[in-house]
Structures are given as structure tokens and as C-alpha cells.
Amino acid sequence: MRYLTILFLCLLGLQSQSQSGMNVFNDKVLHEIRITIGPTYWFDTLTTDYNNHRINPDLYPEIARPCILTFDGVTLDTIGIRQRGNSSNRFFNYYKFKKPFKLEIDAFKNIKLDGLKNIILNNCTDDPSYVREALCYKLIRDEGLPAPRTSYAKVYINNQYWGLYMLVENVDKTFLKDKYGGSANNGNLYKTAQTGQAYLHAINIGDTLHKKKTGLELKTNETINDWSRLVNFINLLNNSDKPYFRDSLLKYFDVNSYLTLLAIEKLVYSWDSYWANGNNYYMYEHPDGTIRWISWDMNETFPNINGFDISRLTGSSYLLPTDRYDSRPLIKAVFSTEEWKNRYYDIVCGFLNKQFRAEYIDTTILRWHQLIEQAVYDDTNKLYSYESFSASLTGEEINADFTFPRTGFRLKRNLPGIIPFIHDRREWIRKQISLLDHTCEFAERSNNKYPLYIFPNPAFQNTLNLSWDGTADGLARVQLINLEGKLVADLFNQRGTNNKLQTEIEYVPAGVYWVIKIDSDGSMGSGKWVKF
């Protein structure tokens, strides 16, 4: 076993020479992470460390506590672990144990796992589906832009199943090397601080308190601590009315990439991003001289637009966020030029005709859902119910209520399923585009209606065998409705193959029912079923 472990680590090392994390971020596998940590009050220790740092980061730097990590059977001794996050740690999750963690592989020894120095364990706060953030990053990566990779793991701590976690790639020098090349990872990397409000307003060039003034933290080259280029960039943003502005900004900033990222953030309504809440992004000073934008922490996506989370953002839900011009200098800057504004519209239109369609993403999110379903069911620390998880892809409205255990206060919230959200969001964008002086061809929803063939019919058992003509094999929702119009069964995340679908229904009394199959592209099949 010792030699096999050494061989496996060597293979990981060889693979990491091409790209780090190929095994860790294999999202076709449900990984297993086992963490051994002592003493028995380890959780309180990590919580105290986290709270001290949050209250006074200058006095209490982030501390990683030693532990032993076993990843898919390969053991590393010793690495570091700490709690992380902001609202994912302190708000919805305040009285619970399923905290987000960060594994610092090289905290105590010069070792890596699959070429990685850090791995983030994300508890998927505010996401009963467990796939929202992963899907956002995939949409970005599919455009050829840098974004974290993700996968899933069952996490055990001291042999106790702690729950299902999403593994998220950390944005660090390893990430920069893999995304930009080994000779291009030495620039300054900035991240929004926990205090947020990184709006990029003008600051005094002579002011050395950049962290407090900008809401940003320098994550690389901390010893040199040279903020001069970033300060010049921020002050340039605040001069978008100058005649030289366009050409100057192009020298400082990768505008086209940012327009693509903004389009994705708006499509999925990432309300906790820069354009809305002034949070959750990185900026990287690439050695070629341009600053690159990296989107981050996209769990607050696909929300109910009228829900609790964004009630304070009233008026910010325009496709072109003109209401943010005065408070978000970067938004004002990139849309100060008509050329960039039209480019943004073209990008949005392109997404509507390809990536931002239920038919484009339903295979991926269903695969993830099926991969983790049993792990979610077994997770006694999960933040939302298994029923909410089951409905989170195709359900119209998912209960995401949260009750604070000690006070009993209940925060009532509802989230739409991802597929219904996409349909509604597409219609919203159509209306927005129609108000603008821009031409955009839209790929239409199918909205076809077709007959379902149900057999056996009549039937004595609770098994439904459905077939149909055509190519309606995408992700679907199947409903059973009695003759009084009452919904008696609602089956989420169904998927047929070769125009056939078999599904089990819990016991229903004898009677006549309508079977409705609602497809991800808007098509609908229906048929009558007689149950004895």
C-alpha cells in the first residue's frame, strides 16, 4: 500500500505538470474526503479562529489547523484546515455545523495534492440544487475565459459523515499559471475583502491605506505591496468623460472579456457580484499590462427576482445597469462607449441562442444531480431539505426557508427551479432588448404539444411507461392530475431516451388521470391514463 500511494502521488505530480487538479476536479466522480483532526473540540477551535479574524484581521490572521487528509484513498500528512466564507458561514448557516472550509495542502509541509496547494469545500449556501455555482463557472469556461473548476465530494471528519460538499478551485498562483501560462502568473492578484463594497471609486494616489479605501485585498506579491498600477486604473475609471478615455482603458483593462462575464452575471442574475452588490471578484494584473477580471462566489444566482435576497437592489435589474453608473465606476466606464455597449448586446444575444437555453445545460445539471442525489439524501447536516433538492431543477418554486434554531425565527424564501428560471429570464431579456435600439434574433422556445402514449393502459401497477413521437428526450417534469384538476403526483428531473420514459409513482387510488410531461425546451406532452 505504501508503494502504491507513492506511485499515485508521483502520477499526480506528473499530471500536474500539464494542468493541476485534473483528478480533484473530475466532476464525473463523486470523490471521498476523510479528514482526521483533534482534539474533540476542533469545531469550536476553527469557529473561534474564524470569528477572531473576522472581527480583527490585523490582530488575528487566518490560521490553518493541522489535520490528516485522505482524498480518494490517498493520505497526506499533514495539511491545514480552516473555516472560510462570509454569509455562507455566518448568516443562513449560523447555528449549524456544515461550515465552508478551506484545505491548505502546503500549510505545514511542501506538498501538493494533484498539483494543488489549496482546495475549497463549499457548503452550497442558498442553493438547494448544489449546481448553481458550478453551472455559472462552466458557462464562463465554455467561453474560453478563466473560471474555477468544480466537483463533488462526500466529506468525513473524524469518521463522521459531515455532508456533501462542492469542491471549488482556489484562485491563486497555481490557478493563474494553469489559465495564463507559467510565465504569466507573477502579477498582482486582488480579491474583494469580507467587508465588501469594492466599488472602485477614486482614491488618493498618495494614500497607502488601499485595502480600506478599495475594499480589496492583495493576494500575491504582498511583501512588495505595490498598488500603484491598480490605483491608476481605478482613478482612470472615474474619468470616463475624458476624450482620451477609451484608448487609455484598453491599455489597462481587458474590456471584451469583462463584457462577456457581465453578460453571464446578468443572465443568471448574480446579484452578489460587482454590478449589483460590489462583491465577489478578483482582478489580476497580467504581465502583458492589462488587468483581467475573474468572477467569483456565484452561489447567489438563479434567484426569485422579487425575493428577499435582492429586495435592496430594486431598480438594478436592467439588462444595461444604467442605474449603477454613479455608484459603480467600472459599469459606467465600459458603457461610456457605444461600441462596447453594442458588443455587450451582441454577447447577450449570442448566449440566448446557444448557452443560455435549457436544452444546452439540462444534460449537465441532471448528470450532477444524479451523481450526488444519494449523498444529499444521507447528509444530516444539509442546509435544505431533500425535497427542495429534488425539485430544484424543474420545479416552479422551491422552498428555501431557513429557521434559526435558538430563536425559532423563520426566514421565508423561495427559489425557482433552474429550468423555469431560464425560461422566465429569456422572456425578460427579450423585453429588455425590445426597449433598446438593437437588433437581436432569438432562438424560440419550442412550445410544441404532442400526444403521450401510455402503457399498459388501463394499468394495475404504479409504473408509468411513456412514449412519444419526435425528439423530446430532454430533462422533463411529469405530473399526474385527476379529473377534478388536482395535482396528485409531481415527478421532477425525469429524462427519456429514444422517445421512451419509465417512471415509478407512489400509490395513487384507482381513477382516470391526465399525465402531463413538461420538457425543458417548453414542449408539452399529454395523455390519459386509467388506473385500476
Side-chain angles (χ1 to χ4, degrees):
M1 179 60 70
R2 177 188 174 196
Y3 292 117
L4 287 174
T5 299
I6 294 172
L7 176 62
F8 185 79
L9 289 173
C10 290
L11 290 174
L12 290 182
L14 288 174
Q15 189 174 39
S16 67
Q17 293 176 10
S18 56
Q19 186 179 28
S20 303
M22 294 291 287
N23 289 298
V24 169
F25 296 114
N26 179 0
D27 67 355
K28 294 181 175 62
V29 175
L30 180 58
H31 301 282
E32 180 182 275
I33 289 177
R34 291 187 174 271
I35 297 168
T36 304
I37 184 173
T40 55
Y41 49 83
W42 67 269
F43 184 83
D44 293 335
T45 300
L46 295 188
T47 301
T48 299
D49 292 344
Y50 171 85
N51 289 332
N52 286 342
H53 174 72
R54 183 178 61 84
I55 295 171
N56 193 333
D58 295 326
L59 183 60
Y60 297 100
E62 291 176 329
I63 299 176
R65 298 292 180 173
C67 68
I68 299 172
L69 169 69
T70 301
F71 186 94
D72 287 350
V74 176
T75 299
L76 296 180
D77 181 14
T78 303
I79 72 158
I81 185 174
R82 64 175 175 85
Q83 287 187 24
R84 61 170 299 278
N86 192 9
S87 61
S88 60
N89 190 305
R90 299 189 296 114
F91 187 34
F92 295 107
N93 195 28
Y94 189 78
Y95 294 109
K96 296 200 174 187
F97 292 103
K98 196 175 181 182
K99 301 291 187 179
F101 298 107
K102 185 173 184 179
L103 302 181
E104 299 185 0
I105 309 300
D106 64 342
F108 302 102
K109 297 181 179 180
N110 185 23
I111 56 175
K112 298 179 182 179
L113 175 66
D114 198 12
L116 302 170
K117 295 182 178 181
N118 301 281
I119 301 174
I120 290 171
L121 304 185
N122 190 329
N123 61 358
C124 295
T125 295
D126 215 18
D127 182 10
S129 75
Y130 286 78
V131 305
R132 282 170 156 82
E133 186 166 11
L135 177 57
C136 292
Y137 292 145
K138 184 181 185 302
L139 289 172
I140 295 172
R141 294 196 308 272
D142 286 350
E143 289 302 297
L145 296 177
R149 292 168 293 172
T150 62
S151 60
Y152 296 95
K154 296 180 68 173
V155 174
Y156 296 81
I157 301 181
N158 293 340
N159 291 322
Q160 179 182 353
Y161 180 40
W162 210 254
L164 176 77
Y165 279 79
M166 177 188 293
L167 309 187
V168 180
E169 186 174 13
N170 191 53
V171 178
D172 53 18
K173 288 180 71 69
T174 302
F175 175 95
L176 298 172
K177 179 181 178 181
D178 287 339
K179 272 50 178 183
Y180 297 116
S183 61
N185 74 330
N186 294 320
N188 283 4
L189 178 69
Y190 300 92
K191 180 186 179 183
T192 51
Q194 284 193 349
T195 54
Q197 299 180 342
Y199 301 144
L200 306 181
H201 291 305
I203 59 177
N204 185 343
I205 293 180
D207 192 340
T208 58
L209 299 177
H210 300 315
K211 178 177 176 180
K212 291 183 173 61
K213 294 292 183 180
T214 63
L216 297 168
E217 295 177 337
L218 180 60
K219 307 302 289 186
T220 59
N221 304 321
E222 297 97 320
T223 302
I224 300 175
N225 199 33
D226 181 7
W227 291 60
S228 58
R229 183 167 184 82
L230 181 70
V231 171
N232 289 334
F233 168 68
I234 291 174
N235 288 335
L236 173 65
L237 293 179
N238 290 269
N239 288 282
S240 58
D241 57 339
K242 304 297 183 183
Y244 58 80
F245 174 75
R246 178 192 176 280
D247 292 339
S248 297
L249 185 61
L250 282 175
K251 294 178 181 178
Y252 267 95
F253 189 58
D254 185 353
V255 175
N256 285 328
S257 294
Y258 179 71
L259 292 174
T260 299
L261 293 172
L262 179 62
I264 293 173
E265 290 177 358
K266 291 294 290 184
L267 288 171
V268 302
Y269 209 97
S270 183
W271 62 265
D272 206 19
S273 297
Y274 171 78
W275 65 268
N277 228 18
N279 290 333
N280 296 323
Y281 63 86
Y282 285 85
M283 285 193 293
Y284 177 56
E285 294 180 356
H286 193 282
D288 70 3
T290 59
I291 291 176
R292 312 294 179 89
W293 194 271
I294 302 172
S295 297
W296 177 248
D297 199 6
M298 301 185 73
N299 66 301
E300 301 286 2
T301 49
F302 301 91
N304 183 334
I305 303 302
N306 299 314
F308 165 81
D309 288 335
I310 53 175
S311 60
R312 63 184 180 278
L313 302 177
T314 303
S316 67
S317 57
Y318 304 114
L319 179 60
L320 185 68
T322 54
D323 60 316
R324 292 298 186 188
Y325 280 10
D326 292 337
S327 58
R328 305 290 184 272
L330 178 59
I331 297 297
K332 183 179 181 180
V334 296
F335 292 125
S336 63
T337 301
E338 201 68 21
E339 168 195 349
W340 295 338
K341 192 181 298 182
N342 288 322
R343 170 66 178 152
Y344 172 70
Y345 296 151
D346 287 339
I347 292 170
V348 171
C349 292
F351 274 114
L352 289 186
N353 288 312
K354 187 181 177 185
Q355 296 92 326
F356 202 67
R357 301 175 67 186
E359 309 93 291
Y360 183 85
I361 57 93
D362 66 359
T363 301
T364 298
I365 61 177
L366 181 60
R367 175 172 60 82
W368 288 337
H369 228 244
Q370 292 172 338
L371 177 70
I372 64 178
E373 183 174 11
Q374 187 62 47
V376 173
Y377 183 84
D378 295 337
D379 184 355
T380 58
N381 286 331
K382 57 180 171 285
L383 305 182
Y384 304 100
S385 69
Y386 176 75
E387 291 72 24
S388 294
F389 167 79
S390 299
S392 60
L393 300 187
T394 54
E396 292 292 336
E397 193 171 77
I398 296 92
N399 181 287
D401 291 0
F402 180 82
T403 301
F404 293 87
R406 295 183 188 176
T407 64
F409 174 74
R410 186 180 184 188
L411 184 63
K412 293 187 175 182
R413 305 174 61 255
N414 290 293
L415 295 171
I418 292 178
I419 299 300
F421 174 91
I422 289 176
H423 288 322
D424 290 345
R425 194 66 171 164
R426 286 174 57 85
E427 293 304 313
W428 176 84
I429 293 169
R430 287 172 62 97
K431 293 176 182 177
Q432 290 280 307
I433 291 287
S434 68
L435 300 175
L436 303 168
D437 186 19
H438 193 82
T439 302
C440 182
E441 296 293 332
F442 292 95
E444 298 291 342
R445 287 180 63 181
S446 172
N447 288 319
N448 290 330
K449 294 185 178 181
Y450 57 89
L452 286 178
Y453 308 106
I454 307 168
F455 54 94
N457 196 7
F460 290 91
Q461 74 271 29
N462 292 320
T463 300
L464 272 180
N465 291 282
L466 310 178
S467 67
W468 54 87
D469 298 325
T471 57
D473 281 343
L475 190 62
R477 179 182 183 185
V478 176
Q479 297 179 323
L480 204 65
I481 301 172
N482 64 21
L483 294 182
E484 297 176 353
K486 181 180 178 181
L487 180 66
V488 297
D490 202 353
L491 308 176
F492 302 101
N493 311 328
Q494 304 295 307
R495 188 176 184 85
T497 56
N498 299 321
N499 300 340
K500 292 182 177 62
L501 171 64
Q502 182 181 82
T503 187
E504 296 293 329
I505 299 178
E506 293 185 6
Y507 174 77
V508 293
V512 179
Y513 299 93
W514 283 104
V515 179
I516 308 295
K517 177 174 175 281
I518 306 168
D519 300 321
S520 60
D521 69 349
S523 301
M524 182 179 294
S526 62
K528 188 179 292 186
W529 184 53
V530 179
K531 167 73 186 307
F532 286 152

